[in-house]
Amino acid sequence: MLSPARTEERAGVSILVFGDAGSAGRAAAERIQSTVHAAVADRGRAVLGLASGATPRKVYSHLVAFHREGALSFRDVVTYNVDEFYPIGPLDPKSYRSYMHQHLFSHVDLAPHHAHLLDGTVPEFFVAEHCAGFDRWIAADGGIDLQLLGIGRNGHIGFNEPSALSLADALALPTRLTELHPVTQSDAAREFVGEHRVIPRALTMGVASILAARSILMLATGTHKADVVARALNGPMTAGLPASLLQSVASRVTWMLDEPAAAGLF
Ligand code: GLP
């Protein structure tokens, strides 16, 4: 794997800091590649949890490059995405399904029926059953080998937004329909071309399913993430900052950062 400029173990969490965002993205892709190889060798399949947003784009371009070089096959891979807007059509370019086709699915040998996303088209009365089914499918596939995550400026993971829940309730959150926090809505305004156009609700994998993954890879890059990264790693575990809940499974979590995102840590 590409060597980080700095590594640190903090309360059981591995923190790898890279010179720039490109190197962090490449290292994340290499970690995914080695996880796929190990899981396929072990159990005949690998289950990946995937994320969208600006941060993982470079990761996906490296995975596509590895595939083109013959260094990575998705034939025995199953994927589950962490979130999707609701409601949204599958052909809407702002849907995370479109994003995944654009950045990964259409470029690799992943079987179409192995790529799972929460479905922004299910009728509202069926949402709860759909979300419970999503968690059951992950379990039936043997659980997630590696969950790739990004972090929102307000500390969200997937679309698990800051809340006033007790710690126990926050850790047990299932996959569900959720309301987007004002900070998330304002950050999404660029893609939706105006805050008033942002779809204010979403389906998200629950905190419980995320934390159950055998390994969690959190990727954060850029100065705008420095404050929230420091609070998630150094501050208390609280539902008010969902990424801090990763502290509860510290030994399974790796943070990959670039220098600007790590600026508040050292
Ligand atoms: C988005 C998504 C998350 C993502 C996070 C960070 O809104 N719901 O899955 O990880 O916010 O996004 P970005 O990488 O664009 O900063």
Side-chain angles (χ1 to χ4, degrees):
M1 194 187 82
L2 206 68
S3 297
R6 210 188 316 208
T7 64
E8 182 164 315
E9 195 88 2
R10 191 170 293 199
V13 180
S14 300
I15 304 169
L16 311 184
V17 183
F18 296 84
D20 55 57
S23 307
R26 162 104 197 178
E30 288 175 352
R31 174 70 65 89
I32 292 170
Q33 179 189 35
S34 60
T35 302
V36 167
H37 289 156
V40 171
D42 233 36
R43 299 195 319 283
R45 80 161 39 172
V47 182
L48 297 178
L50 300 177
S52 39
T55 314
R57 278 189 198 143
K58 281 205 176 66
V59 179
Y60 297 137
S61 73
H62 284 297
L63 293 178
V64 171
F66 296 164
H67 174 68
R68 289 193 176 138
E69 292 158 10
L72 178 62
S73 170
F74 289 79
R75 206 188 45 227
D76 301 313
V77 173
V78 175
T79 66
Y80 287 90
N81 264 74
V82 75
D83 51 17
E84 177 61 288
F85 291 101
Y86 183 85
I88 198 162
L91 298 178
D92 189 319
K94 293 178 291 302
S95 74
Y96 287 156
R97 181 171 290 278
S98 294
Y99 169 105
M100 290 309 300
H101 283 302
Q102 187 191 341
H103 294 287
L104 183 68
F105 297 162
S106 65
H107 307 288
V108 298
D109 58 343
L110 178 69
H113 62 299
H114 285 175
H116 305 90
L117 273 95
L118 287 156
D119 185 348
T121 72
V122 294
E124 195 155 347
F125 68 83
F126 191 67
V127 160
E129 199 168 330
H130 175 63
C131 291
F134 191 81
D135 284 339
R136 281 198 302 273
W137 273 62
I138 293 173
D141 270 328
I144 293 172
D145 290 296
L146 180 147
Q147 175 66 57
L148 176 65
L149 289 179
I151 184 169
R153 281 190 309 127
N154 58 4
H156 73 212
I157 47 175
F159 276 130
N160 292 284
E161 297 283 21
S163 73
L165 289 175
S166 73
L167 198 51
D169 287 349
L171 292 169
L173 278 171
T175 296
R176 68 199 185 287
L177 180 62
T178 170
E179 308 267 336
L180 301 192
H181 186 270
V183 171
T184 305
Q185 295 199 31
S186 103
D187 284 352
R190 197 163 23 117
E191 276 160 66
F192 281 87
V193 199
E195 200 163 334
H196 63 288
R197 290 208 179 87
V198 173
I199 297 174
R201 294 191 298 168
L203 302 170
T204 187
M205 190 189 287
V207 172
S209 293
I210 292 174
L211 297 181
R214 281 185 277 284
S215 64
I216 297 173
L217 176 49
M218 168 62 91
L219 181 65
T221 57
T223 317
H224 62 302
K225 298 287 173 74
D227 174 59
V228 75
V229 165
R231 286 190 291 129
L233 279 162
N234 291 342
M237 224 194 320
T238 161
L241 201 134
S244 71
L245 302 173
L246 298 175
Q247 294 174 21
S248 68
V249 292
S251 63
R252 288 189 264 124
V253 181
T254 303
W255 286 70
M256 288 191 179
L257 308 169
D258 66 355
E259 293 280 4
L265 282 179
F266 303 103

